[in-house]
């Protein structure tokens, strides 16, 4: 089972229930000095070796409520990046959409965590970006940052991690859903323009299309020149504050990068290709900024990709 700090889980569940009255701590000194960790029910942690990359990755897995009681049923899978943050958040939101999850089809949730031994910032910068031309600031580990291994990481997902999930759990391999935010959204765009059939649905939150002088725009153009089809269901969403507003002193606005303009331009480019198999939805979410928007993005994404089946 996945074990997370109680504070993180409490933040994910904020507003879900009233807290129980405080109780006196146990008298036992051992109980005080060695408190039990909070455990998320019906979750698992697996470690997978990325052979070509020569490093290990953890994945977090949450199984739907009817998984064990419906042994012949196969379930769609949602893969979400930045699993340390996103996995408990998505799990909690999914349990409440449409009056305690009645608004969603049941699904298997897989949180893609970072490389074992790497800081989150170091791992995501390296694994989610398409070129080595990133900012040169050091992360909290003190190591110089590494960028540009998105394609190697994508191959690991496609050739090792996703087959492992399909072999271990009862999955509907025709419905693999991707969700990512910021660099995770950028990585989703990379997959979309590299191997679009890898996922049936893409939930792309605030993708960092500014990266490396907007390199993904030239890659989109190159894809269009080589392909007449892009078969995928894509939801792109971004916060209303992710633009530059020099007339405002509100610190929630972006300082230098107009990500709304970038997303609008990218959407326009995709629509101009008239791909028969592309279903594209885009939304600006009011009242949110880059760091607060993901809960709203994933809520919309879940309802879009996994609406409850009605008899």
């Amino acid at each position: 089972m996945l074990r997370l700090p109680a504070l993180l889980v409490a933040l994910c569940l904020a507003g879900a229930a009233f807290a129980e009255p405080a109780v006196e701590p146990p008298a036992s000194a051992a109980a005080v000095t060695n408190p039990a960790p909070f455990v998320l029910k019906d979750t698992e942690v697996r470690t997978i070796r990325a052979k070509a990359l020569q490093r290990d990755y953890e994945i977090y897995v949450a199984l739907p409520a009817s998984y064990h009681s419906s042994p012949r049923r196969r379930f769609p899978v949602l893969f979400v990046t930045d699993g340390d943050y996103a996995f408990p958040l998505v799990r909690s939101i999914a349990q409440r959409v449409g009056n305690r999850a009645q608004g969603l089809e049941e699904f298997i949730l897989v949180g893609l965590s970072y490389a074992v031994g790497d800081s989150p910032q170091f791992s995501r910068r390296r694994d989610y970006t398409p070129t080595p031309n990133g900012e040169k600031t050091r992360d909290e580990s003190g190591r110089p940052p590494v960028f540009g291994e998105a394609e190697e990481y994508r191959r690991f997902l496609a050739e090792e991690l996703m087959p492992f999930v399909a072999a271990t759990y009862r999955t509907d391999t025709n419905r693999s859903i991707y969700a990512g935010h910021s660099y995770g959204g950028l990585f989703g765009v990379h997959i979309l323009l590299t191997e679009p059939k890898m996922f049936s649905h893409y939930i792309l939150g605030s993708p960092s299309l500014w990266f490396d002088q907007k390199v993904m725009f030239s890659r989109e153009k190159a894809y269009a020149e080589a392909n007449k089809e892009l078969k995928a269901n894509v939801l792109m969403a971004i916060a209303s504050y992710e633009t530059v507003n020099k007339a405002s002193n509100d610190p929630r606005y972006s300082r230098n990068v107009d990500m709304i303009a970038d997303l609008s331009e990218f959407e326009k480019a995709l629509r101009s290709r008239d791909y028969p198999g592309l279903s594209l939805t885009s939304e600006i979410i009011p009242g949110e900024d880059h760091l607060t928007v993901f809960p709203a993005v994933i809520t919309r994404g879940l309802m879009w990709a996994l609406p409850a089946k009605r008899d």
Side-chain angles (χ1 to χ4, degrees), residues 117-119 122 125-126 137-146:
D118 287 341
S119 70
F122 185 91
R125 281 175 166 177
R126 177 193 59 217
T137 55
R138 295 176 181 266
D139 71 2
E140 64 270 21
S141 70
R143 301 161 67 187
V146 176

Side-chain angles (χ1 to χ4, degrees), residues 143-144 175 189 198 231 274 277 296:
R143 301 161 67 187
R175 290 194 297 161
V189 172
M198 187 167 159
K231 187 173 178 58
D274 293 323

Side-chain angles (χ1 to χ4, degrees), residues 8-272:
L8 173 59
V9 179
L11 290 173
C12 294
L13 299 178
F18 292 102
E20 293 292 332
V23 296
E24 291 296 325
S28 169
V32 173
T33 57
N34 298 294
F38 191 97
V39 177
L40 297 180
K41 296 180 180 179
D42 297 321
T43 62
E44 302 174 357
V45 179
R46 306 271 187 164
T47 301
I48 301 177
R49 181 68 174 175
K51 296 177 183 177
L53 301 177
Q54 288 296 294
R55 48 184 179 257
D56 296 327
Y57 289 87
E58 286 186 341
I59 62 169
Y60 310 146
V61 181
L63 300 175
S66 68
Y67 185 84
H68 296 295
S69 62
S70 303
R72 296 185 178 181
R73 184 177 173 186
R74 292 189 173 275
F75 297 85
V77 186
L78 172 64
F79 295 86
V80 62
T81 60
D82 293 298
D84 295 45
Y85 161 72
F87 177 81
L89 176 70
V90 175
R91 176 182 175 275
S92 296
I93 289 174
Q95 291 177 346
R96 285 157 178 76
V97 173
N99 187 16
R100 300 190 183 278
Q102 294 183 47
L104 296 178
E105 180 182 0
E106 288 187 301
F107 65 96
I108 297 170
L109 174 62
V110 176
L112 305 173
S113 189
Y114 310 111
V116 175
D118 287 341
S119 70
Q121 189 178 48
F122 185 91
S123 185
R124 70 193 306 271
R125 281 175 166 177
R126 177 193 59 217
D127 295 340
Y128 298 168
T129 58
T131 71
N133 303 320
E135 67 270 24
K136 302 306 180 184
T137 55
R138 295 176 181 266
D139 71 2
E140 64 270 21
S141 70
R143 301 161 67 187
V146 176
F147 296 87
E149 295 189 14
E151 179 55 18
E152 291 82 354
Y153 183 68
R154 184 199 68 80
R155 290 178 182 172
F156 160 62
L157 296 185
E159 298 171 6
E160 299 179 76
L161 190 147
M162 293 176 72
F164 171 83
V165 171
T168 306
Y169 305 97
R170 297 195 314 278
T171 66
D172 179 352
T173 54
N174 293 318
R175 290 194 297 161
S176 294
I177 302 157
Y178 176 90
H181 177 256
S182 193
Y183 271 173
L186 175 68
F187 180 58
V189 172
H190 170 78
I191 299 173
L192 181 68
L193 297 178
T194 304
E195 190 59 51
K197 293 181 181 179
M198 187 167 159
F199 295 95
S200 61
H201 294 72
Y202 291 81
I203 302 169
L204 306 178
S206 306
S208 300
L209 295 169
W210 52 264
F211 183 82
D212 190 10
Q213 301 181 9
K214 303 184 182 182
V215 66
M216 299 313 293
F217 287 89
S218 59
R219 293 196 175 185
E220 185 281 328
K221 182 179 179 181
Y223 180 91
E225 290 173 349
N227 299 273
K228 299 300 181 184
E229 177 62 291
L230 197 165
K231 187 173 178 58
N233 301 292
V234 181
L235 170 65
M236 301 190 299
I238 197 167
S240 61
Y241 277 91
E242 295 189 75
T243 186
V244 176
N245 185 348
K246 295 183 179 179
S248 174
N249 293 322
D250 192 331
R252 299 183 73 191
Y253 281 111
S254 175
R255 293 297 184 189
N256 303 306
V257 179
D258 192 336
M259 294 182 65
I260 292 179
D262 289 347
L263 191 68
S264 177
E265 182 183 352
F266 193 75
E267 177 189 1
K268 183 178 179 180
L270 286 176
R271 293 193 186 280
S272 72

